[in-house]
Amino acid sequence: MRRAVLLCCMLCCMLCCTGILAVTRPPGIFIQPRYDVFFKAGETVELPCVAEGIPNPRYTWEKNGVEFNPSGNDDRMVQLANVGTIVINRPEDKDEGIFQCFAENDYGKSATININLREAKLKDFDVEDDNTVTPYLGESQTLNCVAPESIPPPEVYWVIKEQYGGFTPINFDARVTMDHESRLRFTNVKASDGQDGKAYACMAMNGIVRKNTQGARQFIKPRGSSEVQREVTYMWASPSDHYGLRGDEFRIKCIFAGNPTPDVHWERTDGKPLPDHVKQSSFGQELVFSSLEFSDAGDYECWATNDQTPQRVQRTMSITVKARPYWIEEPKDVELGIGGTARFKCLAGGDPAPDFYWFINSVRLSEANVNSRFKKVSADEVMIVNVTKEDAMVIQCNATNKHGYIWGDVFLNVLSEAPTIMVPPAAQVVAAEGQSVNLTCRTTGKPDPQITWFKEGRQITGGRYRTLLNGDLHIEMVVLADAGNFFCAAENIYGSQNASGTLMVRRKTQIEQRPLDLEVNADQDAKFTCSGTTDPEEVQNLKIKWMKDNKDITANDQRMTTNNQDNSLTISGTIVRDSGTYTCIATNGLDQSSASAMLTVKDRPDAPVNTRIESCEQGNATIRWTPGSYNNAPVQYFIVQYNTTFSPDQWIYALKVPSQKTSANITLSPYANYTFRVLAYNKIGESDPSFPTVKICRTNPARPLHHPENLRTIGDRKGELHIEWTTMPQIQQNGPGFQYILQFKREGDPDSQIQTKPIDDWTVDHFIYATSDVYRPYEITLKAKNSMGEAQQDAVVFTGFSGEEIPGVVPTNLQAKQIEDTRATLSWNFDMSVVGVEATSINGEFRGFKVQVWRRNLRETTMREWDIGPEEVEAGRVGNEISATVDNLLPYTYLEARVAVMNNYYVGRPTDIIQFRTKEGVPGPVEFFKFRNIGDNHFNLEWGSPMDENGEIIGYDIGYQIVSGLDLGKMQDREPQINNRFQTSEILSGLLPSTKYRVYIWARTSVGRGDGYFIELTTSKAGSPEAPRYTISNIGETNINVTWWVNPYARSGTVIFVEYRKEGAPEWQRSTDEVVNTFKNITDLESGTTYDIRVVATNGKQRTESYIEKVTTLGVAAASALVGNIGWFIGMLVALLVLIALVICAYCLIKRGFEMGGKESPDRGGRYPEATYTGINTSRIPERSSDFGPEPRGYSNDYYDDRDRDSYYDYDRDADSMRKSQTSLNEKRPPSYYSDKDRYSDKDRYSGQYYDDDDDYDRDAYEDYDRKPSHRDDEKYDRDDDLRYSPSGKSPSGGRTSSSFV
């Protein structure tokens, strides 16, 4: 049914085309059977025959050269309607024959090839008796099989017949295989080939009749208990002269017997490599040519080896290639107009060369009725000139040789019709500049129409424009100016027709970024990048694709991936096969541009091949090999290795060979069987080893070259003479019957007899002889001997000693001298006369002394030992006094030490323990170093004391330097440094805003600085400083002291200076900046003079002044001498009288004032009456000097003398208290104070953070930085205990101080 539908479709298409192309056409058969058709009796078989032609052709058949009518064979045979196909429903043997189908209409007659219809058959095997063979294990064996007659030839198998019916196919391998004559071959028999008594059988199968048949049963009964090892022998091979037909599958095979199973190899004798279409099968025994070519002709050699065969066993076969006829140029149908010339060629090749036969409408040319215009140009070409309508015909060509024939069936059709444009120019053709483009104009019409092209109405002629034979217009290398409307006109004597289309030209695509050549090592990734540009109208179509060696890279290769983002190609885990040319193609579908780059993948070289022994003479072998591929990295050298039957699994280095050589001469040891292999080395690495040499190089026995080496005695046990040596491996024994001959006797003892001990086991490496002495010398000789005699080398007499014991002598007078921080020199006395003498109290060879040192009371965990060898003893010995230095000790540590004498295996009783203490050293780094707060010109720093103090810490040094990128500025030390060993925090001030610093800290002992610790911090942006609260104290005649309180958590303004001026003066004077201390002594003032004082905080860019405080220095203002200024003296007397009067008045008023007691004075809060401070009772703290009580501020010398004397004491204590307020608590130090900031912060919260002006924090939380911080719980602080904070403002000595707080 399907075939009928297909036929109808084809006829419809033919009719449609006929209305366009031609009115008539000779027939042409396009479906026909193959040469041989087989059928099974009773099963339907079909002989297809379908042709096309106008009008529809008629079909006829011939059988055996006689006209055959299918309808004359009852209902078994029928011819399908409208086609020539015959269907035989129940074919019989009488239906066999040579069939040929013909299709004919009024314009010619077409014919098929001759079809050989045959009945498929399979006969049974001849009846034969069971056959039993009894080979020895390891022998070869053949089971014969003569396949029965079969049409077509059968497929032959070998099976194992089961006892209760059924069978199991035999799986062939390198040992069990089948030759091309159906015999089963065993290259060596194994016990398993007995198949537990089951039979072997040869089976033939015919797939068409779906039948198989089995031959006689054959049994194998192996003999023997073990397999016999056999050399390789020839067993079977394809004929030595063998020919095949071109295009056929072709096989040649070699089978070799031997045990172990031989390895079979193939090669061409002319040295050429095997073609790509040739594969090895049957485990290397068979060569399969998938499609035989003339180039495959030649001699082929198969060869085999195994472990028992040093030489190749080979077989040579010569292949000759013949050919049945094949088309060189197949005949083609010809359609042309009246008056033309038709040529038909039948070019065919073959071996032997074919004969040609021509037919006209299925009639031999010699018998056909042709006119004089029909000419036979040559055996393979005919022609007809000046054709007419009546010349329509079918022409057949038959090329024949002895191997077969080929059949050509074509027609001549003569037409007369007006031009018709079948394929007009496309309405719009888009091309890129630089391309060549064809504008189609395919026409029909007989005679052939004349095609003329126009552009924009003007005829096109020559240059880059060319009209092709099929009517198309070819434009070579189009340019942008070629765009426009093109017009095609077709004309012959019967009429004309035209059509038009438009050509659009785009700018060409170009590669912008070309891939670059790459060179990588294997397993590395390689990445190519590429980009391109194109016409703006085609950008959306632009794509980048990649090719390797002109083949597309597909997604199947998972190691090669493309990235659409950067259009790159990445080859992951490269291998040598990835080397090649990689091409980047930028295309928009119209045109493309490409650029290529080379990838070179370097890898280890391939293993050398064909490693062989070229010569093997006594004591010498010449090895030769062929280098493998160097894989893009030249070979640097070769390494030759060998193994022997003594160590078959161990390959031993033999020789290093330069890369330019491919042979080496190896010196061999006697009495060994050698095989060799070679490795190649390049800069990437070593190759796999080559296959070992097939040939074995055997050497003859000889005497050993030398005696055993490394003869020695081991004295670890007293009462034994323990002798050891290095065994001689088998490769050094040089012959059979190898043994050691051991001889020894006590040295210097004339009564001692020589002891001789032969040792037959070459693996023995020691001998123990029981003695009754301690460390006595013995003369020892050890010889090597085999059946050929003793070693060629003279034996050496070695002096050894019997076992040692614990030394019986103890050093004395151990002392520690020259003690440093990490080293000390120990000295002791020892009687050196016992060294190097026989019967010594050391009880062995003197090996020096063992010094043991440990920390006091920590011997188990801290003990360290030093071995002082004999050379060091001699270097440090003066008579019997010995000195040695031990180093790497812990500084400032109490240590204990002792010394004992040593021999080879024992340490004697030690000396009494001595104690000493190492000197103080420099400390280790601080435990931690971090910041508490960061401001715009300061860091508030905190650290932990060193874990390794190595002495008494006396303080800390802080240094810093500016960090600018990778550059470090000049190191600057903080001045003064910290001299308080308990202090663990400090403010580093005087820095620049928004600047990165590297800050260092060193702990310090009296020896010096220890190891440094640094952190890098950045100051915050410049902020607005706040003026500190301050007090004025220690007022003298020419000096005052100004003390202030700095908030350690302030963000700005830790650089402080004092400004002062005489009362009423316009200009201020200033002190130097203070970045460390919180006080300033103002000197060089005038006595008895009032000054304005203020404190200024600055960050270098901004400044903030405090309120102004007035203070008057002690003493009297400067004046002229009384005798020099009488007027001044009189004035003073008058003033004194006035003063006395005022005092009296004041006394009277005060007396009356006591009667008015109980009234409070108005609040004198000063400038900051509302200032309050968290945690401090502000009512008890005066805010300025005038608030320090009712005492008069006159110039009482008694008052200021007391004030000066006592207040200096107060200042020192205050300053010390202020310094302590900046330290953190440490369990190992006296208690210090915490601020509220410390109390409510944890160390991690501020680690690594900086403050800046935008930080959101509670300023009020830091305002109260001058209050008295609380102690730890174990030392509660009582505010009333410190008179500096008493309401009266009294100092410890009863004096007062002038204070001011902001």
Side-chain angles (χ1 to χ4, degrees):
M1 181 64 184
R2 186 173 61 184
R3 187 175 284 108
V5 172
L6 178 62
L7 180 60
C8 292
C9 293
M10 293 175 63
L11 291 174
C12 291
C13 293
M14 182 179 66
L15 291 174
C16 293
C17 295
T18 302
I20 299 172
L21 298 176
V23 178
T24 61
R25 176 175 294 166
I29 295 175
F30 62 92
I31 297 179
Q32 59 181 325
R34 56 187 179 276
Y35 287 96
D36 293 304
V37 177
F38 300 98
F39 67 87
K40 180 182 179 182
E43 290 188 359
T44 299
V45 65
E46 182 178 288
L47 300 178
C49 181
V50 181
E52 62 179 3
I54 303 174
N56 290 332
R58 304 176 298 276
Y59 296 92
T60 58
W61 284 84
E62 285 186 0
K63 179 181 179 182
N64 299 326
V66 178
E67 185 176 347
F68 174 74
N69 185 358
S71 60
N73 289 272
D74 54 51
D75 60 349
R76 291 188 310 106
M77 192 176 299
V78 62
Q79 180 175 330
L80 300 181
N82 300 320
V83 293
T85 301
I86 295 177
V87 177
I88 307 175
N89 292 317
R90 295 182 301 281
E92 301 173 358
D93 56 358
K94 67 178 182 180
D95 295 326
E96 290 184 322
I98 304 298
F99 288 78
Q100 188 173 23
C101 174
F102 301 92
E104 182 179 7
N105 65 11
D106 296 338
Y107 300 96
K109 186 176 183 180
S110 179
T112 65
I113 59 174
N114 288 327
I115 304 146
N116 187 5
L117 180 64
R118 302 187 66 186
E119 180 183 2
K121 300 175 182 179
L122 175 64
K123 292 185 177 181
D124 291 330
F125 279 91
D126 294 337
V127 177
E128 296 179 1
D129 295 333
D130 292 347
N131 178 40
T132 300
V133 294
T134 57
Y136 285 99
L137 292 175
E139 286 185 340
S140 61
Q141 182 62 51
T142 300
L143 300 182
N144 293 319
C145 175
V146 179
E149 183 181 345
S150 176
I151 301 175
E155 296 182 38
V156 179
Y157 306 92
W158 280 87
V159 298
I160 304 297
K161 302 191 71 169
E162 302 294 339
Q163 293 180 352
Y164 303 103
F167 57 85
T168 301
I170 294 177
N171 293 321
F172 296 139
D173 55 25
R175 188 180 66 86
V176 181
T177 188
M178 185 176 70
D179 63 27
H180 290 174
E181 295 169 348
S182 304
R183 289 183 287 261
L184 184 64
R185 304 279 185 170
F186 295 83
T187 61
N188 56 80
V189 174
K190 296 186 178 298
S192 59
D193 294 334
Q195 298 293 338
D196 297 327
K198 297 177 184 177
Y200 290 83
C202 178
M203 174 182 286
M205 177 180 291
N206 186 317
I208 296 176
V209 298
R210 297 184 296 283
K211 175 186 175 182
N212 63 70
T213 179
Q214 297 180 8
R217 297 190 302 170
Q218 302 191 52
F219 297 89
I220 296 179
K221 293 183 178 180
R223 290 186 290 173
S225 59
S226 61
E227 297 180 13
V228 179
Q229 301 295 305
R230 296 184 180 275
E231 294 185 349
V232 176
T233 58
Y234 165 74
M235 193 171 187
W236 182 90
S238 299
S240 57
D241 289 317
H242 205 19
Y243 87 88
L245 295 178
R246 173 186 173 274
D248 286 356
E249 182 183 81
F250 185 75
R251 295 171 179 262
I252 53 176
K253 189 170 187 175
C254 282
I255 304 174
F256 295 91
N259 189 28
T261 302
D263 293 323
V264 182
H265 305 271
W266 289 89
E267 57 188 35
R268 290 186 65 144
T269 58
D270 57 7
K272 295 180 181 178
L274 295 176
D276 292 339
H277 62 277
V278 177
K279 305 298 179 186
Q280 295 189 39
S281 67
S282 298
F283 301 90
Q285 297 171 338
E286 189 173 39
L287 275 189
V288 180
F289 298 77
S290 59
S291 179
L292 197 63
E293 302 290 343
F294 287 123
S295 60
D296 296 331
D299 291 338
Y300 290 79
E301 181 180 273
C302 60
W303 55 272
T305 60
N306 67 5
D307 292 346
Q308 301 298 313
T309 311
Q311 300 293 338
R312 293 182 178 183
V313 177
Q314 58 192 30
R315 194 79 175 174
T316 301
M317 281 160 278
S318 179
I319 296 178
T320 303
V321 180
K322 301 293 183 180
R324 59 177 64 88
Y326 57 91
W327 291 118
I328 298 175
E329 182 177 340
E330 191 172 0
K332 297 180 177 60
D333 296 330
V334 176
E335 288 187 331
L336 75 167
I338 296 172
T341 297
R343 291 180 178 271
F344 294 90
K345 293 184 178 180
C346 186
L347 300 181
D351 190 0
D355 297 324
F356 296 94
Y357 303 93
W358 291 93
F359 296 82
I360 304 297
N361 293 327
S362 302
V363 177
R364 282 185 180 270
L365 180 59
S366 59
E367 301 174 4
N369 183 17
V370 295
N371 56 47
S372 59
R373 290 180 292 104
F374 190 100
K375 302 180 183 296
K376 185 176 181 181
V377 179
S378 62
D380 55 7
E381 182 179 4
V382 296
M383 63 180 294
I384 307 174
V385 298
N386 196 20
V387 298
T388 64
K389 290 284 287 183
E390 290 73 21
D391 289 332
M393 65 180 72
V394 178
I395 298 177
Q396 289 94 11
C397 167
N398 185 329
T400 302
N401 68 10
K402 65 179 182 179
H403 302 300
Y405 73 94
I406 51 177
W407 177 260
D409 185 273
V410 295
F411 63 76
L412 169 63
N413 196 21
V414 182
L415 303 173
S416 58
E417 58 179 318
T420 300
I421 298 178
M422 305 301 300
V423 184
Q428 181 175 294
V429 175
V430 181
E433 60 177 335
Q435 285 184 319
S436 296
V437 65
N438 284 358
L439 302 180
T440 58
C441 187
R442 306 287 174 85
T443 62
T444 64
K446 298 300 176 182
D448 292 334
Q450 178 70 35
I451 307 299
T452 307
W453 281 91
F454 301 85
K455 179 188 175 188
E456 306 295 350
R458 303 180 65 178
Q459 184 174 346
I460 296 173
T461 57
R464 292 182 298 105
Y465 298 89
R466 180 163 55 93
T467 302
L468 304 180
L469 295 177
N470 62 3
D472 292 351
L473 175 64
H474 177 78
I475 307 174
E476 190 76 22
M477 301 291 290
V478 297
V479 296
L480 296 175
D482 289 332
N485 185 50
F486 287 79
F487 180 85
C488 160
E491 182 178 6
N492 68 6
I493 59 175
Y494 298 107
S496 64
Q497 192 174 17
N498 54 62
S500 65
T502 300
L503 173 65
M504 301 179 67
V505 181
R506 306 293 194 203
R507 297 187 182 277
K508 65 180 179 180
T509 302
Q510 293 181 322
I511 295 289
E512 268 194 340
Q513 180 185 1
R514 303 173 63 88
L516 303 177
D517 292 342
L518 294 178
E519 187 175 281
V520 299
N521 292 342
D523 294 329
Q524 293 181 341
D525 293 350
K527 183 177 181 179
F528 291 105
T529 56
C530 181
S531 63
T533 59
T534 189
D535 191 278
E537 296 293 330
E538 302 294 336
V539 169
Q540 70 278 7
N541 299 323
L542 181 63
K543 295 181 180 178
I544 301 292
K545 67 177 185 177
W546 291 89
M547 300 180 73
K548 177 184 182 292
D549 298 331
N550 297 321
K551 295 181 180 178
D552 289 336
I553 295 175
T554 64
N556 295 332
D557 193 338
Q558 298 179 352
R559 292 187 305 105
M560 297 187 182
T561 56
T562 55
N563 186 329
N564 293 330
Q565 299 297 321
D566 60 0
N567 299 315
S568 63
L569 171 68
T570 301
I571 302 102
S572 304
T574 54
I575 56 178
V576 173
R577 290 199 304 271
D578 293 331
S579 299
T581 302
Y582 288 79
T583 304
C584 162
I585 301 175
T587 178
N588 56 16
L590 296 177
D591 72 329
Q592 65 183 35
S593 179
S594 64
S596 298
M598 289 292 298
L599 173 62
T600 303
V601 180
K602 297 182 177 181
D603 200 357
R604 301 179 302 125
D606 288 347
V609 296
N610 195 22
T611 304
R612 58 199 181 277
I613 300 175
E614 205 165 65
S615 66
C616 177
E617 300 174 355
Q618 182 61 35
N620 194 276
T622 300
I623 314 302
R624 189 171 295 278
W625 61 90
T626 301
S629 172
Y630 61 86
N631 292 336
N632 301 317
V635 172
Q636 296 173 322
Y637 57 89
F638 298 97
I639 295 294
V640 180
Q641 297 177 335
Y642 69 87
N643 73 356
T644 65
T645 50
F646 301 129
S647 54
D649 296 328
Q650 180 182 5
W651 288 93
I652 303 168
Y653 170 87
L655 193 65
K656 181 176 179 179
V657 182
S659 60
Q660 63 269 23
K661 293 187 177 181
T662 57
S663 66
N665 192 277
I666 310 296
T667 301
L668 309 179
S669 294
Y671 194 60
N673 297 333
Y674 285 87
T675 54
F676 300 89
R677 71 181 189 184
V678 181
L679 296 89
Y681 286 77
N682 62 13
K683 66 179 182 180
I684 309 301
E686 70 174 26
S687 71
D688 293 332
S690 69
F691 285 112
T693 55
V694 175
K695 181 181 177 181
I696 297 175
C697 184
R698 296 180 175 89
T699 56
N700 296 323
R703 290 191 301 160
L705 292 177
H706 58 83
H707 298 289
E709 298 174 342
N710 297 325
L711 183 62
R712 59 198 179 275
T713 54
I714 307 298
D716 58 339
R717 298 178 184 177
K718 71 174 182 177
E720 290 183 354
L721 176 62
H722 187 169
I723 305 171
E724 283 191 356
W725 59 89
T726 300
T727 60
M728 293 181 63
Q730 290 174 294
I731 192 66
Q732 297 178 6
Q733 297 171 12
N734 294 357
F738 180 83
Q739 62 178 186
Y740 303 114
I741 305 297
L742 176 63
Q743 295 177 328
F744 58 91
K745 70 180 290 291
R746 184 163 173 173
E747 186 181 83
D749 186 354
D751 298 330
S752 176
Q753 299 292 323
I754 296 177
Q755 303 284 335
T756 301
K757 302 292 181 182
I759 302 172
D760 295 330
D761 185 357
W762 70 268
T763 62
V764 173
D765 63 353
H766 69 280
F767 178 80
I768 298 176
Y769 176 70
T771 68
S772 59
D773 48 33
V774 175
Y775 195 64
R776 293 295 184 269
Y778 284 80
E779 296 177 353
I780 305 170
T781 304
L782 183 64
K783 301 178 181 179
K785 178 183 177 182
N786 63 19
S787 61
M788 307 297 291
E790 289 187 359
Q792 303 172 24
Q793 185 185 69
D794 292 335
V796 176
V797 178
F798 168 77
T799 300
F801 292 84
S802 57
E804 300 181 1
E805 196 177 11
I806 297 175
V809 61
V810 180
T812 60
N813 194 25
L814 176 62
Q815 301 178 49
K817 301 178 179 180
Q818 298 179 13
I819 301 173
E820 303 293 338
D821 55 346
T822 61
R823 64 171 54 199
T825 299
L826 303 180
S827 69
W828 60 91
N829 293 337
F830 185 78
D831 184 5
M832 296 298 292
S833 63
V834 299
V835 175
V837 298
E838 192 171 343
T840 174
S841 57
I842 298 177
N843 291 333
E845 182 184 5
F846 175 68
R847 300 301 297 166
F849 298 90
K850 184 177 290 292
V851 178
Q852 296 176 328
V853 179
W854 62 90
R855 293 184 68 176
R856 187 171 62 184
N857 301 326
L858 296 173
R859 179 191 302 178
E860 296 297 327
T861 57
T862 64
M863 178 181 284
R864 295 177 58 202
E865 295 182 342
W866 288 261
D867 288 344
I868 311 301
E871 297 82 4
E872 296 177 74
V873 170
E874 285 301 318
R877 182 168 75 92
V878 178
N880 286 332
E881 182 178 345
I882 299 166
S883 298
T885 300
V886 292
D887 53 11
N888 295 324
L889 303 179
L890 294 175
Y892 208 56
T893 303
Y894 287 100
L895 301 175
E896 296 179 337
R898 64 186 182 185
V899 177
V901 67
M902 300 186 300
N903 57 30
N904 283 313
Y905 299 98
Y906 298 98
V907 177
R909 184 169 63 84
T911 64
D912 293 336
I913 297 173
I914 65 168
Q915 297 184 0
F916 62 94
R917 184 183 186 182
T918 53
K919 292 185 178 180
E920 190 174 24
V922 295
V926 296
E927 182 179 2
F928 64 86
F929 189 33
K930 62 182 182 179
F931 68 91
R932 286 177 169 181
N933 177 48
I934 292 178
D936 56 5
N937 61 358
H938 73 279
F939 299 131
N940 187 352
L941 305 171
E942 182 181 12
W943 60 89
S945 60
M947 301 294 290
D948 298 323
E949 294 187 351
N950 297 336
E952 293 290 340
I953 302 295
I954 62 173
Y956 298 89
D957 291 350
I958 295 177
Y960 58 95
Q961 54 190 160
I962 294 176
V963 179
S964 178
L966 298 178
D967 297 327
L968 295 175
K970 180 181 178 181
M971 176 68 74
Q972 302 179 62
D973 288 335
R974 181 183 183 273
E975 291 294 343
Q977 297 288 13
I978 300 166
N979 296 317
N980 181 359
R981 64 167 298 181
F982 300 111
Q983 184 171 339
T984 56
S985 67
E986 185 55 274
I987 293 177
L988 177 62
S989 188
L991 307 178
L992 300 175
S994 302
T995 303
K996 186 175 183 180
Y997 288 87
R998 178 174 289 185
V999 184
Y1000 299 80
I1001 188 167
W1002 300 270
R1004 190 173 71 250
T1005 64
S1006 60
V1007 177
R1009 284 181 178 178
D1011 296 332
Y1013 191 132
F1014 73 84
I1015 56 177
E1016 291 188 352
L1017 304 172
T1018 303
T1019 52
S1020 61
K1021 293 184 289 188
S1024 298
E1026 297 179 2
R1029 285 174 265 189
Y1030 68 95
T1031 181
I1032 301 173
S1033 62
N1034 300 331
I1035 303 172
E1037 291 185 358
T1038 61
N1039 64 281
I1040 62 172
N1041 176 278
V1042 180
T1043 301
W1044 57 87
W1045 285 264
V1046 176
N1047 180 3
Y1049 294 97
R1051 301 177 61 191
S1052 182
T1054 58
V1055 178
I1056 307 296
F1057 60 89
V1058 178
E1059 290 186 335
Y1060 58 94
R1061 66 184 178 185
K1062 290 183 180 180
E1063 185 176 30
E1067 299 294 334
W1068 289 90
Q1069 295 179 273
R1070 58 165 290 175
S1071 68
T1072 57
D1073 291 343
E1074 187 61 61
V1075 296
V1076 176
N1077 296 317
T1078 57
F1079 64 89
K1080 200 70 179 178
N1081 285 317
I1082 307 300
T1083 61
D1084 297 328
L1085 303 179
E1086 296 180 8
S1087 61
T1089 304
T1090 301
Y1091 286 88
D1092 294 335
I1093 306 295
R1094 67 183 181 188
V1095 177
V1096 181
T1098 181
N1099 59 13
K1101 294 186 177 181
Q1102 299 183 45
R1103 52 178 278 163
T1104 302
E1105 301 91 358
S1106 70
Y1107 62 90
I1108 298 174
E1109 175 98 4
K1110 294 183 181 296
V1111 64
T1112 303
T1113 57
L1114 298 181
V1116 179
S1120 300
L1122 179 60
V1123 294
N1125 194 343
I1126 190 65
W1128 177 83
F1129 178 72
I1130 295 173
M1132 286 296 294
L1133 289 177
V1134 174
L1136 181 59
L1137 293 174
V1138 174
L1139 178 60
I1140 293 171
L1142 291 175
V1143 170
I1144 294 172
C1145 293
Y1147 178 78
C1148 295
L1149 291 174
I1150 291 172
K1151 293 292 288 182
R1152 296 184 64 186
F1154 282 124
E1155 298 172 3
M1156 301 167 61
K1159 290 186 179 182
E1160 297 182 0
S1161 300
D1163 183 14
R1164 296 191 299 167
R1167 294 177 58 182
Y1168 305 97
E1170 297 179 0
T1172 60
Y1173 304 98
T1174 305
I1176 298 178
N1177 185 350
T1178 57
S1179 65
R1180 301 175 62 191
I1181 301 178
E1183 293 187 349
R1184 58 183 64 209
S1185 298
S1186 59
D1187 298 334
F1188 271 80
E1191 282 194 52
R1193 299 183 62 189
Y1195 299 101
S1196 170
N1197 289 336
D1198 291 338
Y1199 167 74
Y1200 283 109
D1201 287 344
D1202 291 341
R1203 180 172 181 160
D1204 287 343
R1205 181 177 66 252
D1206 296 334
S1207 60
Y1208 275 117
Y1209 173 80
D1210 290 346
Y1211 164 72
D1212 291 339
R1213 198 168 69 158
D1214 285 348
D1216 182 63
S1217 175
M1218 290 171 62
R1219 282 194 296 271
K1220 288 182 180 180
S1221 72
Q1222 298 174 6
T1223 63
S1224 63
L1225 289 175
N1226 189 305
E1227 294 178 2
K1228 299 187 293 182
R1229 299 173 174 81
S1232 57
Y1233 303 130
Y1234 279 107
S1235 67
D1236 283 355
K1237 175 82 172 177
D1238 293 326
R1239 186 184 301 117
Y1240 294 111
S1241 66
D1242 61 78
K1243 63 182 179 181
D1244 295 327
R1245 178 179 177 185
Y1246 298 98
S1247 177
Q1249 300 179 13
Y1250 301 146
Y1251 292 102
D1252 56 35
D1253 289 339
D1254 299 327
D1255 287 345
D1256 185 11
Y1257 72 101
D1258 185 2
R1259 290 180 178 270
D1260 294 335
Y1262 302 105
E1263 288 291 334
D1264 192 23
Y1265 51 72
D1266 67 325
R1267 66 184 177 179
K1268 195 71 171 181
S1270 64
H1271 273 57
R1272 286 178 178 256
D1273 294 336
D1274 56 347
E1275 293 190 24
K1276 300 296 183 180
Y1277 180 80
D1278 186 353
R1279 185 189 308 273
D1280 295 332
D1281 290 341
D1282 194 334
L1283 295 180
R1284 288 174 296 169
Y1285 290 83
S1286 66
S1288 63
K1290 287 281 187 178
S1291 67
S1293 61
R1296 293 180 177 273
T1297 59
S1298 176
S1299 301
S1300 177
F1301 296 86
V1302 178

